[in-house]
Amino acid sequence: MVPDIWDILQTKGTEYLIAIAFLVLFIPFWRFVNKTEKTK
Amino acid sequence: MSTTTQTTSDFSAWIREKILMGRSPRNYLRSLITPFNIVAALILAVGIPVIGYRFANGLGAATNMSDTNPWGIWIGFDMLTGVALAAGGYVLAGAVYIFGLRDYHPILRPAILTGFLGYFIAVLGLITDLGQPWRLPYPVFVSFGVGSVLFLVAWHVFLYLTVQFLEFSPAICEWLGWKRVRRWVSSLTIGLTIIGITLSILHQSALGALFLLMPTKLHPLWYSQFIPIFFFVSSIVGGLTMVIIESTLSHRIFRGQLESERHVDLDDITIGLGKAASIVLFAYFFLKLLGIADGNHWNLLNTPFGYWFLVEVLGFVLLPCFLFAFGVRAKNVKLIRFTAVLTVIGLAINRLNVAVIAYNWNVTDRYSPSWMEILITVTLITTGILMFRWIVNRMPVLYTHKEFSE
């Protein structure tokens, strides 16, 4: 069965979205982890 | 005659000092009677004959495995989980010797020892599963099945076990007082670390690559062309979390060995390891999402297997990721240690999902382990713990040997 071109585009599009989401979210996450709370 | 007497006396003194930890045989035997040892002895007393029964009567008599379900918990837990949790050796060696994070040096030797014993126990589990132990060296010396992923796995295990033994051998040399040999093996450290990391990357991912051959047998949510990468990345988390657990337990159980040692702030080391685990888990979560997206299997998430998949990914990947992050921010070492245990359980669930639960998910003949399989697994884990304790009690693992301090 030949896969539908729209299915392929949708799958690849989702993969790119996940990759971009990772890159966008990683920066604030990195800052969050590396910023230790001030001791009271 | 006097020379013979002298030699016997030297040998007795050596046994007393090195093996019996300076005690007389009677005192040493008396010191062995502890609640933990009694439980361990009971497990071994039942477990070892059951291992003998498995070798004498075969897999059919001792396990619930079948032609449909040829892999049980000895592969799913002892081998796959054991090897992933033994990754602390290469992760820590890489951090200390390659990336120059010398702060982690005090926990390097126990991590390498845990790694070595983890692999050793995994190999024992593999021998129990395969049977015919005399054929174990075949892939290395006799029959080269170069087209098989298992051939790759066999070579990796053989080579990496050798490398880990050599990485740990300075501690053995210090224990035996072999200064020249110790100097020689210490000079190999950087080379061994590089070879060890290379072999581990290949080996951890090769275990995942085994499942690339089974697209129809493994549930689509767990099957992915990225599965070798999943196995490798999750092994880094397994190594880091296992080092957190092992160092915590070692510092409590072997406290006496640490008293004379310079102060090592284990809390700072634990926070550092927690931070690394948090960041790797964050990346691993997105990789798992890519795995679903790659096969376009989003609709399968709304099925019973999908719910179980979500439990694994949300409960044992994303949740620990944020718990580690909060623990690091608040410098809450207890939270980091609790999260490490949660993550190790999650890793075991992942490997059991891939090798047992989501494997052959669409057949009616489902596998569940027999009591003998579970008992043999418990026996092997107990053996590993006893070996770790035996070595730590004798060799300079948690402390620096006075004559060899650098």
Side-chain angles (χ1 to χ4, degrees):
Chain A
M1 198 177 84
V2 180
D4 182 15
I5 184 69
W6 292 111
D7 276 352
I8 297 171
L9 285 175
Q10 188 193 358
T11 305
K12 286 291 155 196
T14 317
E15 285 181 21
Y16 279 113
L17 270 178
I18 292 169
I20 293 164
F22 169 71
L23 290 173
V24 170
L25 293 173
F26 185 72
I27 297 162
F29 182 75
W30 176 268
R31 286 184 180 155
F32 178 80
V33 175
N34 280 291
K35 194 176 177 182
T36 48
E37 286 171 2
K38 285 176 184 171
T39 46
K40 290 168 188 172
Chain B
M1 184 69 186
S2 63
T3 317
T4 314
T5 315
Q6 180 66 32
T7 311
T8 313
S9 167
D10 287 350
F11 184 68
S12 302
W14 186 88
I15 291 282
R16 179 183 272 223
E17 189 202 344
K18 299 290 184 189
I19 309 292
L20 305 181
M21 299 190 295
R23 298 191 180 111
S24 66
R26 185 187 288 253
N27 282 341
Y28 179 72
L29 286 174
R30 202 172 285 162
S31 72
L32 289 180
I33 302 168
T34 63
F36 174 80
N37 282 349
I38 291 167
V39 174
L42 282 173
I43 292 170
L44 296 184
V46 185
I48 291 170
V50 170
I51 293 173
Y53 177 82
R54 175 265 169 269
F55 278 107
N57 297 288
L59 287 174
T63 71
N64 283 346
M65 290 187 244
S66 62
D67 287 345
T68 314
N69 297 297
W71 285 359
I73 57 164
W74 292 339
I75 296 296
F77 189 79
D78 299 22
M79 185 68 194
L80 297 185
T81 310
V83 165
L85 296 179
Y90 86 85
V91 172
L92 256 288
V96 172
Y97 292 123
I98 307 298
F99 295 106
L101 303 172
R102 304 293 295 184
D103 292 348
Y104 296 91
H105 195 267
I107 56 163
L108 180 59
R109 263 193 192 171
I112 290 174
L113 178 61
T114 312
F116 174 71
L117 290 177
Y119 267 80
F120 185 70
I121 297 302
V123 170
L124 289 184
L126 196 62
I127 293 172
T128 317
D129 189 82
L130 295 172
Q132 302 189 7
W134 58 91
R135 281 181 176 261
L136 206 66
Y138 266 46
V140 182
F141 298 111
V142 182
S143 176
F144 297 153
V146 289
S148 166
V149 183
L150 280 173
F151 172 73
L152 190 70
V153 171
W155 265 89
H156 285 157
V157 173
F158 166 71
L159 290 176
Y160 190 50
L161 206 57
T162 312
V163 166
Q164 280 198 317
F165 177 76
L166 288 172
E167 280 185 303
F168 185 70
S169 57
I172 302 172
C173 294
E174 288 169 19
W175 175 57
L176 295 171
W178 295 349
K179 290 185 180 176
R180 288 182 70 180
V181 184
R182 196 260 188 200
R183 207 177 305 134
W184 181 74
V185 286
S186 294
S187 68
L188 300 175
T189 302
I190 296 291
L192 287 173
T193 306
I194 293 168
I195 295 170
I197 293 171
T198 311
L199 286 169
S200 292
I201 292 171
L202 293 166
H203 173 52
Q204 298 283 356
S205 49
L207 286 176
L210 278 176
F211 294 91
L212 286 176
L213 309 170
M214 308 163 195
T216 55
K217 289 188 175 181
L218 189 57
H219 191 280
L221 283 172
W222 281 273
Y223 181 83
S224 163
Q225 61 173 328
F226 303 128
I227 197 166
I229 300 169
F230 294 165
F231 267 53
F232 167 61
V233 175
S234 58
S235 81
I236 298 174
V237 182
L240 290 166
T241 48
M242 201 58 202
V243 170
I244 293 174
I245 295 170
E246 172 271 311
S247 58
T248 305
L249 293 175
S250 294
H251 277 68
R252 282 191 189 165
I253 297 166
F254 304 104
R255 192 182 290 269
Q257 292 191 23
L258 301 163
E259 280 170 3
S260 60
E261 195 56 7
R262 67 185 167 82
H263 179 66
V264 173
D265 196 341
L266 186 64
D267 288 358
D268 280 351
I269 288 175
T270 306
I271 290 168
L273 294 171
K275 187 188 286 185
S278 171
I279 289 164
V280 180
L281 277 170
F282 188 79
Y284 180 57
F285 174 73
F286 279 89
L287 282 171
K288 291 293 276 185
L289 289 185
L290 270 182
I292 312 172
D294 182 56
N296 206 6
H297 295 309
W298 301 101
N299 57 327
L300 291 175
L301 289 175
N302 194 22
T303 61
F305 266 105
Y307 304 144
W308 182 232
F309 180 82
L310 287 173
V311 168
E312 182 198 312
V313 173
L314 297 179
F316 293 99
V317 178
L318 197 60
L319 178 67
C321 168
F322 283 105
L323 287 179
F324 272 130
F326 282 115
V328 170
R329 263 178 79 97
K331 294 193 172 181
N332 186 340
V333 179
K334 277 186 183 170
L335 179 62
I336 294 173
R337 284 173 183 152
F338 165 78
T339 313
V341 175
L342 187 73
T343 312
V344 165
I345 294 169
L347 192 73
I349 288 174
N350 171 258
R351 295 305 193 260
L352 283 172
N353 278 338
V354 172
V356 179
I357 298 167
Y359 183 80
N360 271 340
W361 62 285
N362 47 4
V363 300
T364 48
D365 176 21
R366 295 291 293 164
Y367 161 84
S368 59
S370 71
W371 68 269
M372 281 192 261
E373 288 176 76
I374 296 169
L375 180 65
I376 289 175
T377 296
V378 173
T379 307
L380 292 177
I381 294 169
T382 309
T383 311
I385 294 169
L386 290 174
M387 286 171 77
F388 183 86
R389 193 185 60 175
W390 194 92
I391 293 169
V392 168
N393 272 331
R394 286 160 182 80
M395 299 181 198
V397 177
L398 296 175
Y399 61 95
T400 312
H401 198 290
K402 284 172 197 164
E403 290 175 31
F404 296 90
S405 57
E406 288 156 3

